């Protein structure tokens, strides 16, 4: 929501700058006007609509009950689908990349010739709008909002799956090795890039591994110092894993 607030303010400022330039300088040709209202203005305008939608959705979404949250998301997906179906002709025009109606859709009209639309924009600006520039922005924005809502739905389903695994069927694997072996593997995984990529500490990586293995490690940092002090092999456990894997590969090939 904080990101949406910042984006809304930025888009408003940019659109206001665009409006001033359009009114003072105008366009040198019809093609230039079409390009502006179809390809330029639609960028900040669609982002403005998108972030206002996200802000509204996050503000009004149920907070606790997962069933209510799912119903809320599905209801809003249906609302977006209804919009696309209600304007299917214009959607096909955009999808096919047609241009034969661009002069009508994306050039400004006199006040009396502005078509009556079904949007909730009651104050229309004939100097900075065309018959379809707002609808174009809605198509772009609502497509992104639909993806956003679908992702939220997937996250909820994944959370349910994770909870079911944890509460019912998941059994941790036994850890048949030593505490030192554990520390060696944890540090190897962390240093190889996993920890940095996911912004995880050594302790966090170890805790995540404990969700899979039935083992409680101890003295991670002290044990790692002992590993570094080894005289023969600092990566004894990893070497054993590699040897076991290579041996099995050779057996299977024979």
């Amino acid at each position: 929501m904080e990101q949406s607030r910042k984006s809304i303010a930025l888009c408003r400022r940019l659109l206001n700058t665009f409006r001033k330039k359009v009114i003072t300088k105008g366009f040198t040709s019809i093609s230039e006007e079409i390009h502006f209202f179809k390809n330029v203005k639609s960028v900040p305008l669609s982002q403005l609509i998108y972030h206002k939608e996200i802000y509204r959705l996050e503000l009004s979404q149920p907070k606790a009950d997962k069933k209510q949250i799912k119903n809320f998301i599905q209801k809003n997906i249906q609302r977006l689908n209804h919009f696309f179906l209600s304007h299917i002709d214009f959607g096909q025009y955009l999808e096919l990349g047609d241009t034969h109606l661009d002069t009508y859709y994306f050039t400004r009209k006199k006040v009396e010739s502005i078509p009556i639309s079904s949007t909730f924009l009651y104050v229309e600006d004939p100097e900075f709008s065309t018959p379809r520039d707002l609808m174009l922005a809605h198509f772009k924005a609502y497509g992104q909002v639909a993806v956003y809502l679908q992702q939220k739905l997937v996250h909820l389903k994944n959370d349910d799956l994770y909870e079911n695994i944890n509460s019912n069927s998941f059994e941790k694997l036994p850890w048949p090795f030593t505490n030192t072996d554990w520390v060696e593997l944890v540090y190897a995984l962390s240093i190889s890039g996993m920890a940095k990529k996911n912004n995880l500490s050594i302790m966090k990586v170890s805790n995540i591994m404990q969700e899979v293995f039935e083992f409680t490690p101890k003295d991670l940092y002290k044990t790692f110092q002992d590993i570094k002090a080894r005289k023969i092999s600092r990566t004894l456990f990893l070497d054993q894993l590699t040897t076991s894997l290579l041996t099995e590969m050779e057996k299977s090939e024979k």
Side-chain angles (χ1 to χ4, degrees):
M1 291 177 68
E2 177 62 26
Q3 180 60 51
S4 288
R5 278 196 291 265
K6 293 178 180 179
S7 298
I8 289 167
L10 178 63
C11 291
R12 283 173 172 170
R13 287 197 297 270
L14 183 55
L15 285 166
N16 188 50
T17 300
F18 280 170
R19 183 182 183 278
K20 290 177 180 177
K21 289 187 177 181
V22 166
I23 292 174
T24 55
K25 295 185 178 181
F27 301 101
T28 58
S29 64
I30 295 295
S31 60
E32 186 182 45
E33 184 174 0
I34 291 171
H35 174 74
F36 174 80
F37 285 107
K38 188 176 183 180
N39 302 309
V40 180
K41 181 188 173 184
S42 63
V43 176
L45 184 57
S46 63
Q47 286 299 300
L48 176 63
I49 295 169
Y50 169 76
H51 285 286
K52 288 182 76 172
E53 278 286 316
I54 297 303
Y55 187 88
R56 183 189 65 80
L57 288 167
E58 293 296 336
L59 194 64
S60 56
Q61 176 185 291
K63 304 304 178 188
D65 190 280
K66 279 192 175 181
K67 186 175 181 180
Q68 290 184 0
I69 295 174
K70 287 179 182 177
N71 290 337
F72 173 83
I73 293 173
Q74 289 169 344
K75 183 178 179 181
N76 277 280
I77 291 175
Q78 290 174 358
R79 175 177 62 86
L80 297 177
N81 287 334
H82 178 72
F83 169 82
F84 291 127
L85 288 173
S86 298
H87 305 288
I88 190 170
D89 291 340
F90 185 65
Q92 289 179 337
Y93 180 84
L94 297 175
E95 188 72 24
L96 294 172
D98 289 337
T99 58
H100 60 281
L101 294 176
D102 279 4
T103 302
Y104 173 72
Y105 284 158
F106 302 112
T107 57
R108 294 167 295 173
K109 313 297 178 189
K110 295 180 179 179
V111 176
E112 58 272 14
S113 61
I114 296 177
I116 299 174
S117 65
S118 58
T119 67
F120 293 101
L121 186 65
Y122 298 111
V123 180
E124 295 170 306
D125 185 354
E127 293 185 285
F128 192 58
S129 61
T130 72
R132 288 291 182 268
D133 67 331
L134 181 59
M135 187 177 290
L136 170 63
H138 272 98
F139 263 86
K140 290 184 176 182
Y142 284 175
Q144 291 180 293
V145 175
V147 172
Y148 179 85
L149 290 174
Q150 291 287 359
Q151 289 174 342
K152 287 176 73 71
L153 211 53
V154 169
H155 289 320
L156 282 173
K157 290 178 180 178
N158 288 343
D159 287 344
D160 288 343
L161 179 62
Y162 180 76
E163 288 175 3
N164 290 335
I165 289 174
N166 279 346
S167 60
N168 297 320
S169 61
F170 183 72
E171 289 185 16
K172 293 185 179 181
L173 296 172
W175 178 259
F177 309 108
T178 67
N179 183 73
T180 303
D181 295 338
W182 177 279
V183 174
E184 189 176 323
L185 182 59
V186 167
Y187 270 85
L189 291 172
S190 301
I191 295 168
S192 66
M194 177 188 293
K196 185 177 181 181
K197 181 179 179 181
N198 298 284
N199 195 26
L200 302 175
S201 64
I202 294 293
M203 190 62 70
K204 184 64 176 177
V205 173
S206 180
N207 290 340
I208 292 173
M209 285 177 57
Q210 284 180 259
E211 296 292 327
V212 178
F213 295 102
E214 188 65 51
F215 184 74
T216 303
K218 55 186 178 181
D219 301 328
L220 291 180
Y221 301 109
K222 180 180 180 302
T223 303
F224 183 63
Q225 296 304 318
D226 295 338
I227 291 172
K228 291 199 297 183
R230 286 173 177 169
K231 299 299 182 181
I232 300 176
S233 173
R234 289 181 169 182
T235 58
L236 186 60
F237 179 60
L238 296 177
D239 292 343
Q240 290 173 348
L241 291 179
T242 302
T243 300
S244 298
L245 178 60
L246 291 174
T247 300
E248 185 60 32
M249 286 181 176
E250 291 174 359
K251 286 182 180 179
S252 64
E253 289 173 351
K254 290 179 181 178

